[in-house]
């Protein structure tokens, strides 16, 4: 007997697994930088976050849903690593485990598992932890090259909070300048922050890899970065003494991590090019609004989650360009 | 050659695997028994005009058109009609066929069997269309739409251009490629015949760039003729789709739900152009065609000239037999072909190839959850959202499927080929198209 099935009879070599592990590979440069600057703390956070995400997914699939176990498709590993990237390296282990439970249990599995969640699971966990444990989530260890030997961890503020608190206290940017790292430090990652967010160069490298491998499209990160640059640039141009410059906004905090790795999550981002550009624009705008006028120094996570919620609406508004439709009438890719 | 033309939206590039591209066309021996299905064209099946026991010659009419969209069928062999009965054809169902026991090889006297090239076209447009209608020509790329219908634009519509489809974008298939190389002059005369029938001044022949020899050959043959232009195209699937080919060649978009004539184009396959030459210049009806027999495990991938009605078993034998590890046999190419159930299935007018797949190539990968990667949307040449349409079809939400333009789907399979979650998108799309088509028909009846 011959196999009978409908066409097509061949399949490309794309798979979910390939895509997910592609994201994992793309995170390696940033991971190495973190280990270099934060030492064993980074390794601990990474291991605990990844293992607990895999574990919770396994438990839920096997004992609660009693369906197929798909923990090796790479998606739980990506969530675990992203969660680790989004917390300080001195966060107590039990908090990381709670974060993993929130990410996998609440933000992913309760929606129906991979592909059905509206929000990026790692971000939901980050925001949950930030609200539940504000002190621990905002005390960042100072970066200290691993080559300088192991010493007690000293904590300090991030550049974003230095600026936010300074400006709120009535200081000007020039007065704050000396307590900030240099631009070179921002680029390579010599600054306080969550584990994976510090090195712009390493993050961009991973982003280029993902664009090359067609795991992400350029539209989302580029539209976020351009929006942030333009919006913060206008404010800075109006009053440079009370606004940080656009390069500072681009390179500090979780912007690169958010724009390249979190906002681009396939599951929770729009489907067409036009939709993706609008989504990126919204994230950029909200990020600056929160950073400058909000209560928190950092706004990327909130901005992405808010725009995640708007994705179904964006998808119904931005259809692909249909073949044979009059050009110019339909929006979208 | 500069930047090559191609169509605008979507598209994929699967491994080409044109294993038989350099193999000349060979003739398959006439079978002992020919099985000629009555339903060989898109539209109504033909009505038999012979009876059990009748003697027939090669080229004799054995079934006639039974409506506007229907065609004549001629006996591909000489012998006597054994019966008119159900036999399994490429659809997998038993359908009425004329079964002829072969005796000798006696041809109808009207047919010019010589190889001499007849260039002069001594017929009017009406005469050409009539000859093509009588000869039972259909689109030979696989769609099998009766050719003469396409040559008669509806009132108020005028053809500006004829486009000859030499794209052969399906992986593995090479029958059109070989035809262009070996019967190039006939294809060109056939093109002129079709131009005359349509009363157009200009024809384009679209050929993908993976067939440089065919591009050069036909360009050479049309060098002194300004009315026919060969257009090399960038290799991209599904460029052989009519709408995609028109877009690639002329940058015109056929509107949703409309035919190519809407933008002044008529598209015909190279195989059809060749058949038009034979029908008009040689009085030879459509009784044989070139079929590629191929596959990674096939010992001798071949291009075979076979009589209609020859069981595919004979073609596979000519390619040195069915490999042991065969898991699936496909009538047509790997993207749009149909899996066949038996080796007794006959060659029909629309058979472009027989693709033999190994066991390990035959089963689908396990389906997993949609990760909303939008790759299906990116590759869809019609600008549809396959993830959305398949879900709507699966859940029975046919109203959504209709407003999201499921009827525009050309069933090219690009979405399913690409989907990282290995979702059988096209299975659901076909189901949805069938249902929505019925809903639309019922609504129009009221
Ligand atoms: S099969 Fe239909 S939906 Fe899928 S890519 Fe082709 S035209 Fe688009
Ligand atoms: S390609 Fe497959 S997984 Fe990706 S959006 Fe389409 S259906 Fe979903």
């Amino acid at each position: 007997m011959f196999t009978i099935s409908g066409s097509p009879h061949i399949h490309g070599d794309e798979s979910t697994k390939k895509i997910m592990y592609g994201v994992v590979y793309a995170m390696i440069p940033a991971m190495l930088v973190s280990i270099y600057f934060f030492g064993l703390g980074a390794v601990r956070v990474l291991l605990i976050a990844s293992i607990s995400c895999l574990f919770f997914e396994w438990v839920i699939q096997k004992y609660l849903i009693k369906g197929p176990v798909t923990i090796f498709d790479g998606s739980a590993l990506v969530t675990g690593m992203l969660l680790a990237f989004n917390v300080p390296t001195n966060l107590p282990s039990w908090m990381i485990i709670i974060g993993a439970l929130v990410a996998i249990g609440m933000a992913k599995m309760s929606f129906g598992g991979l592909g059905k969640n509206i929000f990026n699971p790692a971000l939901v966990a980050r925001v949950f932890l930030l609200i539940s444990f504000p002190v621990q989530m905002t005390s960042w260890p100072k970066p200290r090259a691993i080559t300088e030997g192991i010493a007690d961890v000293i904590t300090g503020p991030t550049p974003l909070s230095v600026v936010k608190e300074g400006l709120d206290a009535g200081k000007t940017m020039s007065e704050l300048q000396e307590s900030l790292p240099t631009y070179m430090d921002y680029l390579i990652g010599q600054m306080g922050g969550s584990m994976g967010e510090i090195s712009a160069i390493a993050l961009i490298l991973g982003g280029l890899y993902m664009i090359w491998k067609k795991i992400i499209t350029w539209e989302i990160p580029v539209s976020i970065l351009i929006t942030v640059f333009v919006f913060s640039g206008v404010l800075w141009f109006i009053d440079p003494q009370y606004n940080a410059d656009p390069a500072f906004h681009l390179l500090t905090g979780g912007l690169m991590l958010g724009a390249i790795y979190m906002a681009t999550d396939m599951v929770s981002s729009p489907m067409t090019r036009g939709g993706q550009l609008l989504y990126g624009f919204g994230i950029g705008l909200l990020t600056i609004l929160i950073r400058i006028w909000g209560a928190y120094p950092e706004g990327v996570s909130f901005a992405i989650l808010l725009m995640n919620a708007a994705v179904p609406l964006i998808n119904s508004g931005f259809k692909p360009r249909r073949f044979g439709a009059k050009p110019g009438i339909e929006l979208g890719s | 050659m500069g930047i090559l033309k191609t169509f605008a939206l979507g598209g994929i590039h699967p491994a080409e695997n044109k294993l038989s591209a350099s193999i000349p066309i060979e003739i398959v021996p006439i079978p002992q028994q020919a099985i000629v299905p009555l339903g060989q064209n898109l539209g109504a099946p033909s009505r038999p005009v012979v009876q059990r026991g009748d003697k027939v010659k090669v080229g004799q009419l054995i079934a006639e058109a039974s409506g506007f969209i229907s065609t004549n069928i001629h006996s591909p062999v000489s012998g006597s009609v054994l019966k008119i009965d159900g036999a399994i054809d490429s659809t997998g169902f038993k359908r009425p066929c004329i079964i002829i026991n072969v005796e000798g090889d006696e041809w109808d006297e009207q047919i010019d069997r010589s190889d001499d090239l007849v260039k002069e076209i001594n017929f009017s447009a009406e005469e050409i269309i009539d000859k093509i209608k009588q000869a039972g020509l259909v689109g030979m790329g696989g769609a099998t739409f009766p050719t003469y219908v396409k040559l008669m634009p509806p009132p108020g519509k005028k053809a500006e251009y004829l486009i000859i489809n030499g794209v052969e974008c399906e992986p593995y298939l090479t029958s059109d490629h070989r035809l262009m190389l070996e019967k190039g002059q006939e294809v060109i005369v056939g093109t002129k015949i079709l131009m005359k029938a349509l009363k157009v001044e200009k024809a384009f022949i679209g050929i993908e760039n993976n067939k440089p020899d065919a591009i050069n050959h036909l360009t050479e043959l049309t060098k002194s003729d300004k009315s026919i232009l060969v257009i090399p195209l960038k290799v991209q699937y599904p460029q052989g789709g009519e709408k995609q080919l028109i877009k690639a060649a002329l940058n015109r978009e056929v509107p949703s739900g409309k035919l190519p004539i809407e933008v002044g184009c008529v598209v015909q396959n190279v195989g059809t152009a060749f058949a038009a030459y034979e029908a008009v210049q040689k009085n030879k009806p459509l009784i044989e065609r070139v079929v590629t027999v191929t596959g990674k495990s096939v010992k001798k991938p071949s291009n075979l000239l076979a009589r209609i009605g020859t069981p595919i078993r004979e073609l596979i034998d000519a390619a040195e037999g069915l490999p042991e590890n065969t898991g699936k046999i496909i009538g047509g190419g790997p993207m749009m072909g149909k899996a066949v159930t038996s080796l007794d299935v006959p060659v029909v007018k629309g058979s472009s190839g027989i693709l033999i797949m190994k066991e390990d190539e035959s089963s689908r990968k396990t389906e997993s959850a949609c990760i909303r990667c939008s790759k299906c949307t990116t590759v869809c040449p019609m600008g549809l959202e396959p993830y959305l349409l398949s879900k709507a079809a699966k859940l029975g939400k046919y109203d959504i499927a209709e407003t999201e333009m499921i009827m525009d789907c050309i069933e090219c399979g690009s979405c399913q080929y690409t989907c990282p979650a290995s979702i059988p998108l096209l299975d659901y799309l076909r189901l949805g198209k069938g249902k929505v088509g019925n809903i639309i028909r019922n609504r129009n009846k009221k």
Side-chain angles (χ1 to χ4, degrees):
Chain A
M1 258 327 272
F2 305 121
T3 309
I4 302 298
S5 55
S7 62
H9 305 282
I10 47 177
H11 188 264
D13 55 1
E14 287 278 11
S15 73
T16 302
K17 211 170 165 171
K18 250 188 163 166
I19 291 175
M20 293 299 167
Y21 284 102
V23 179
V24 171
Y25 299 147
M27 285 193 275
I28 289 175
M31 189 179 90
L32 294 178
V33 173
S34 309
I35 294 175
Y36 179 78
F37 282 123
F38 297 129
L40 286 177
V43 178
R44 177 188 65 98
V45 172
L46 255 172
L47 285 178
I48 293 178
S50 308
I51 294 172
S52 3
C53 278
L54 287 166
F55 174 76
F56 287 128
E57 180 145 308
W58 176 74
V59 169
I60 293 170
Q61 287 181 334
K62 181 138 179 137
Y63 295 105
L64 282 178
I65 305 178
K66 301 197 168 71
V69 174
T70 57
I71 59 166
F72 294 113
D73 65 11
S75 63
L77 182 61
V78 167
T79 300
M81 287 181 71
L82 283 177
L83 174 62
F85 271 37
N86 271 291
V87 298
T89 49
N90 57 344
L91 194 71
S93 300
W94 62 274
M95 288 184 191
I96 305 174
I97 296 174
I98 289 182
L101 184 60
V102 169
I104 297 293
M106 229 172 81
K108 185 175 175 188
M109 287 306 174
S110 67
F111 281 91
L114 178 63
K116 311 230 170 44
N117 47 301
I118 300 174
F119 301 105
N120 183 320
L123 269 186
V124 172
R126 173 191 160 110
V127 168
F128 178 89
L129 292 175
L130 187 64
I131 295 169
S132 315
F133 314 110
V135 178
Q136 292 85 341
M137 279 294 285
T138 51
S139 76
W140 285 275
K142 274 208 155 97
R144 195 164 169 287
I146 210 164
T147 45
E148 288 167 30
I150 309 230
D152 283 347
V153 172
I154 312 162
T155 58
T158 64
L160 272 177
S161 43
V162 169
V163 168
K164 178 110 186 170
E165 279 154 26
L167 291 176
D168 285 353
K171 292 192 183 148
T172 64
M173 280 308 289
S174 14
E175 285 165 356
L176 292 170
Q177 208 61 55
E178 56 195 71
S179 37
L180 289 173
T182 65
Y183 284 103
M184 201 55 211
D185 293 336
Y186 295 151
L187 278 174
I188 58 170
Q190 177 111 349
M191 62 176 164
S194 298
M195 181 205 144
E197 71 185 19
I198 51 172
S199 169
I201 287 188
L203 292 167
I204 291 173
L205 212 68
L208 291 176
Y209 172 79
M210 290 195 289
I211 291 175
W212 175 52
K213 286 283 176 192
K214 297 212 169 81
I215 296 170
I216 63 172
T217 53
W218 61 265
E219 280 85 355
I220 294 174
V222 169
S223 57
I224 294 177
L225 298 178
I226 289 183
T227 309
V228 164
F229 186 84
V230 170
F231 191 22
S232 62
V234 168
L235 293 172
W236 175 71
F237 189 77
I238 296 172
D239 194 349
Q241 277 311 318
Y242 291 98
N243 288 297
D245 62 84
F248 175 85
H249 276 292
L250 281 186
L251 297 174
T252 58
L255 187 71
M256 284 292 165
L257 178 62
I260 299 173
Y261 295 81
M262 316 293 285
T264 51
D265 169 29
M266 296 174 166
V267 175
S268 53
S269 60
M271 302 293 275
T272 60
R273 181 178 291 177
Q276 290 174 354
L277 291 173
L278 176 69
Y279 168 83
F281 171 75
I283 292 173
L285 203 67
L286 288 169
T287 299
I288 294 297
L289 283 176
I290 298 171
R291 277 187 181 180
I292 294 183
W293 289 287
Y296 287 94
E298 176 55 304
V300 183
S301 318
F302 294 105
I304 296 176
L305 289 178
L306 282 170
M307 289 310 288
N308 280 167
V311 165
L313 200 65
I314 295 178
N315 277 341
S316 57
F318 285 81
K319 292 288 164 187
R321 187 175 89 70
R322 311 287 197 200
F323 185 97
K326 287 201 188 73
I329 290 191
E330 304 245 358
L331 298 160
S333 70
Chain B
M1 257 184 271
I3 293 168
L4 288 168
K5 293 190 181 190
T6 187
F7 56 96
L9 288 179
I12 56 174
H13 188 176
E16 294 170 19
N17 284 316
K18 304 273 191 184
L19 311 172
S20 49
S22 59
I23 316 285
I25 299 170
E26 274 177 53
I27 298 173
V28 187
I30 304 169
Q32 301 199 329
Q33 194 173 65
I35 306 160
V36 187
L38 289 170
Q40 290 194 45
N41 55 269
L42 198 96
S46 316
R47 190 186 312 118
V49 296
V50 288
Q51 286 176 346
R52 184 187 176 136
D54 284 0
K55 293 272 176 214
V56 293
K57 291 183 190 169
V58 179
Q60 181 182 331
L61 187 72
I62 54 173
E64 62 180 13
S66 67
F68 181 58
I69 302 188
S70 183
T71 49
N72 289 344
I73 296 175
H74 303 79
S75 182
V77 293
S78 67
S80 53
V81 177
L82 175 71
K83 55 182 177 178
I84 300 174
D85 197 5
I88 292 182
D89 69 3
S90 56
T91 58
F93 296 104
K94 268 202 169 175
R95 301 213 303 183
C97 296
I98 299 176
I99 300 170
I100 303 166
N101 278 336
V102 176
E103 294 149 16
D105 189 29
E106 196 184 331
W107 287 57
D108 187 302
E109 296 78 35
Q110 306 279 318
I111 302 173
D112 171 2
R113 293 184 65 191
S114 73
D115 269 343
D116 309 335
L117 182 72
V118 187
K119 274 194 164 167
E120 209 70 40
I121 305 165
N122 296 319
F123 303 97
S124 69
E126 290 67 34
E127 286 167 331
I128 291 173
I129 294 175
D130 189 57
K131 276 180 157 268
I132 285 175
K133 181 177 177 182
Q134 296 309 330
L137 263 58
V138 299
M140 293 180 67
T144 66
F145 194 78
T147 303
Y148 81 95
V149 181
K150 272 180 153 184
L151 296 177
M152 299 195 300
K157 302 264 172 358
K158 163 105 187 67
E160 271 177 82
Y161 300 111
L162 168 68
I163 300 181
I164 297 294
N165 187 345
V167 172
E168 204 160 47
C169 60
E170 275 268 11
Y172 289 97
L173 300 188
T174 57
S175 51
D176 288 348
H177 183 185
R178 290 314 303 180
L179 202 61
M180 289 188 280
L181 282 180
E182 296 177 38
K183 302 282 177 192
Q185 290 194 307
E186 287 83 349
V187 168
I188 300 294
V189 179
T191 303
K192 304 214 106 176
I193 291 172
L194 295 171
M195 287 168 73
K196 194 161 176 192
L198 283 165
K199 306 194 176 83
V200 300
E201 303 297 321
K202 184 104 198 163
F204 299 99
I205 305 181
I207 308 174
E208 282 190 344
N209 199 30
N210 54 359
K211 298 178 265 292
D213 46 357
I215 294 173
N216 291 340
H217 184 51
L218 294 193
T219 309
E220 191 62 31
L221 290 177
T222 52
K223 209 168 47 190
S224 56
D225 187 342
K226 289 274 165 301
S227 68
I228 301 179
L229 185 70
V230 176
I231 307 184
L233 301 165
K234 188 177 155 207
V235 179
Q236 199 176 15
Y237 179 88
Q239 196 142 238
E242 283 194 338
K243 292 185 172 186
Q244 279 64 41
L245 179 56
I246 295 170
K247 176 76 184 174
L250 290 171
N251 197 21
R252 294 187 182 181
E253 279 185 29
V254 180
S256 166
K258 294 285 198 294
L259 295 170
I261 192 71
E262 201 69 24
V263 293
C265 295
V266 172
V267 181
Q268 300 281 4
N269 182 265
V270 277
T272 313
F274 179 70
Y277 165 82
E278 291 204 310
V280 175
Q281 307 292 69
K282 299 277 191 176
N283 281 323
K284 184 175 159 192
L286 184 50
I287 53 149
E288 57 186 7
R289 68 157 299 147
V290 184
V291 183
T292 302
V293 181
T294 180
K296 287 190 184 136
S297 55
V298 172
K299 284 200 205 81
K300 192 182 145 211
S302 311
N303 298 293
L304 302 169
L305 182 67
R307 300 281 173 95
I308 304 296
T310 310
I312 61 169
R313 177 194 310 278
E314 317 247 341
L315 280 72
I316 295 172
D317 283 345
E320 293 188 357
L322 192 70
E324 244 164 49
N325 59 356
T326 299
K328 199 194 242 181
I329 301 176
I330 297 156
M335 290 303 296
M336 293 185 77
K338 267 201 156 93
V340 298
T341 46
S342 122
L343 292 176
D344 298 322
V345 167
V347 168
V348 288
K349 293 175 181 178
S351 305
S352 47
I354 298 165
L355 170 59
I356 294 170
M357 301 193 85
K358 297 185 284 186
E359 260 155 22
D360 60 352
E361 298 173 311
S362 302
S363 50
R364 287 178 171 173
K365 296 175 194 164
T366 328
E367 175 181 353
S368 55
C370 168
I371 51 171
R372 308 177 53 77
C373 66
S374 81
K375 288 183 193 287
C376 52
T377 301
T378 312
V379 299
C380 176
M382 298 307 291
L384 306 177
E385 293 156 288
Y387 74 98
L388 190 79
L389 293 171
S390 66
K391 208 150 138 206
K394 197 172 172 179
L395 301 177
K397 297 194 170 154
Y398 302 121
D399 50 332
I400 296 181
E402 190 185 347
T403 45
E404 297 292 342
M405 312 174 83
I406 196 169
M407 296 311 284
D408 271 10
C409 169
I410 58 168
E411 301 183 28
C412 69
S414 302
C415 50
Q416 186 172 328
Y417 173 88
T418 309
C419 176
S422 298
I423 299 171
L425 293 163
L426 188 47
D427 285 1
Y428 296 121
L429 283 158
R430 268 190 287 255
L431 174 94
K433 270 184 84 177
K435 297 274 186 194
V436 173
N438 278 337
I439 292 170
I440 295 175
R441 266 190 296 280
N442 285 335
R443 192 168 51 218
N444 290 347
K445 256 187 229 153
K446 275 180 203 150

